[in-house]
Amino acid sequence: MGKTIVITGAGGVLCSTMAEALAKEGHNIALLDLNKEAAVAVAEKVNKNGGSAIGVKANVLEKDSLLQAKEEVNSAFGKCDILVNGAGGNHPLGTTSNPFLQLEDLANNDEGFKTFFDLDPQGIQFVFNLNFIGTLLPTQIFAQDMVGREGCSILNISSMNAFTPLTKIPAYSGAKAAVSNFTQWLAVHFSKVNIRVNALAPGFFLTEQNRTLLTNSDGSLTPRGNQIIEQTPMGKFGEPEDLIGTTLWLCGEGSSFVTGVVIPIDGGFSAYSGV
Ligand code: NAD
C-alpha cells in the first residue's frame, strides 16, 4: 500500500523531481511549500500523471503553519510515514564577494562588495534558520505520526559544502554541516522508536538559486562554474533526476538497516583532492 510522504520545499526544482518519482511508486505525496502556487502546480502534474498528491502552503519556520499543514495532510492521506526535509537555500547577505580576503579588499568601497567583516548577522541567521530550524521544526511536527510504527523514515537534504565548506558561503556551509550532524543525532535518538533518519548531500545542480553564479546569460560557464566542473571528476553538473535512485532507496524497505548516513550525490566532487 502507498505511504504518506510529506515533502517540504516541494515546489522547488530538486524536491518536485523527487516528489514525482515517489508518486510513481504509488505513494500519496503532500507537497509543502511557502509558495503554495508552486506546490499546487506540482501536485496537479502528479495527479494528471495518475499519481496522488496535494499542494499545501506551509512555512517550515512556523510551528502553527506546520500544524495546520499536518491537519490537511492527515485528513487527506492519514498519518505521515515519511518526511523529506527539502526546504533550504542560501542568501546573498551571508555570502562574501571574494573567495579569499586580500589586503586591497579592505579599501574596496564598491556598492555591494562584501568582505567577511561586512557579513550581516541577519543574513547569516536567515540561512541557519531556513536550513537547520527548517529541518528541525517539520521533524518535530510530522515525526509524531511515525513514532513506533513500521516503515517510517526521514530524509534530510544536506549538501556537498557540509563535508568541506565552499568559499564565499560560510553561512550556507555551516548550516548544511549542522543538517548533516543533526541527521546523525536524530538517527540515534529515534533508533528505538523505529524511525530511520538519513540525508542526501547533493553536489552541484544547476537550479534557479545558482544559475547566475554558475552560468553567464549566453549559457557559458562563469569562472566559478568552470572551477566546479574541473573539480568534479565526472565533469558535469548533476541533473535533478540523479537524486531519484538514492531517494527511492533511502525511503524504501531496501534501506531498512540504514540510518544516520549522508550520501554524496556529486559526480565524485567530495572524493577528489584536485590533484
Ligand atoms: P529551490 O529554490 O528550487 O527550492 C526550494 C523551495 O523551498 C522553494 O520552492 C521555496 O519556495 C521553498 N521554501 C523556501 N523557504 C521556505 C519556507 N520557509 N518554508 C517552506 N518552503 C520554503 O531549491 P533546490 O535547488 O531545489 O534545493 C532543494 C534543497 O536542496 C535545498 O535544501 C537546497 O539547499 C539543497 N541543495 C541544492 C543544491 C543545488 O545545487 N541546487 C545542492 C545541494 C543542496
Side-chain angles (χ1 to χ4, degrees), residues 10 16 50 53 64 70 73 91 93 98 106 120 122 153 177 181 199 204-205 214 217 225 230-231 242 246 253:
S16 60
D64 285 348
K70 182 170 181 289
V73 173
H91 194 284
L93 289 178
N98 281 337
L106 301 174
D120 182 336
Q122 280 186 345
S153 69
N181 188 281
F204 297 90
F205 290 68
L214 306 183
S217 49
E230 277 169 18
Q231 289 282 325
D242 292 326
T246 313
E253 296 310 306

Side-chain angles (χ1 to χ4, degrees), residues 32 56-59 62-74 137-138 140-142 144:
L32 273 55
V56 180
K57 183 175 175 81
N59 183 348
E62 286 178 12
K63 219 165 181 171
D64 285 348
S65 164
L66 289 163
L67 284 168
Q68 204 175 323
K70 182 170 181 289
E71 268 181 33
E72 280 187 56
V73 173
N74 289 159
L137 275 188
Q140 282 186 318
I141 305 299
F142 287 101
Q144 293 188 36

Side-chain angles (χ1 to χ4, degrees), residues 8-16 18 32-36 38-39 57-62 65-66 85-90 126 130-131 134-135 156-161 172 176 200-210 214 243:
T8 71
V13 179
L14 299 185
C15 288
S16 60
M18 291 158 67
L32 273 55
D33 205 292
L34 193 57
N35 179 347
K36 185 173 180 184
K57 183 175 175 81
N59 183 348
V60 293
L61 300 178
E62 286 178 12
S65 164
L66 289 163
N85 282 309
N90 192 22
F126 174 90
L130 177 57
N131 292 281
T135 296
N156 295 329
I157 313 290
S158 182
S159 170
M160 204 34 45
N161 58 38
Y172 187 49
K176 287 300 194 186
L200 307 183
F204 297 90
F205 290 68
L206 206 50
T207 59
E208 292 324 307
Q209 276 188 31
N210 58 21
L214 306 183
L243 301 179

